[in-house]
């Protein structure tokens, strides 16, 4: 029998614990969740628009903007910006 570890999320409305993605979603405001869904689609579209096989013009639009600048242009909720920043920093740190 396996058990899921309990994680703690510190958000703009306080902290809560979660064990599943659904628990995490339920702890976030609907505005934050919808903003994260929107930016997830934007990230997928951006990554699908470039190729690593040949230098193409698609790279140029991403090379001239920082991740922070891109996130600010794609989100409208500050909490989702903070979540995205922390996710990016976590990935870079690994």
């Amino acid at each position: 029998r396996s058990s899921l570890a309990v994680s703690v999320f510190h958000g703009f409305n306080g902290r809560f614990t979660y064990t599943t993605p659904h628990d995490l979603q339920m702890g976030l405001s609907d505005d934050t969740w919808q903003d994260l869904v929107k930016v997830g689609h934007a990230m997928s579209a951006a990554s699908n628009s470039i190729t690593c096989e040949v230098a193409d013009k698609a790279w140029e639009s991403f090379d001239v903007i920082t991740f922070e600048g891109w996130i600010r242009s794609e989100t409208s909720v500050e909490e989702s910006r903070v979540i995205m920043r922390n996710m990016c920093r976590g990935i870079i740190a690994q």
Side-chain angles (χ1 to χ4, degrees), residues 54-81:
V54 70
D56 61 20
K57 295 287 183 186
W59 277 103
E60 290 178 17
S61 65
F62 298 112
D63 280 345
V64 298
I65 190 168
T66 64
F67 182 74
E68 177 66 24
W70 186 83
I71 285 299
R72 287 211 165 267
S73 71
E74 296 294 329
T75 58
S76 59
V77 178
E78 185 61 27
E79 185 172 34
S80 62
R81 291 180 187 133

Side-chain angles (χ1 to χ4, degrees), residues 9 13 15 17 19 21 25-26 30 36 46 54 56 84 86 90:
F9 184 90
N13 295 321
R15 70 178 186 88
T17 59
T19 55
Q25 179 182 351
M26 294 295 100
D30 190 51
L36 289 170
V54 70
D56 61 20
M84 294 304 298
N86 291 338

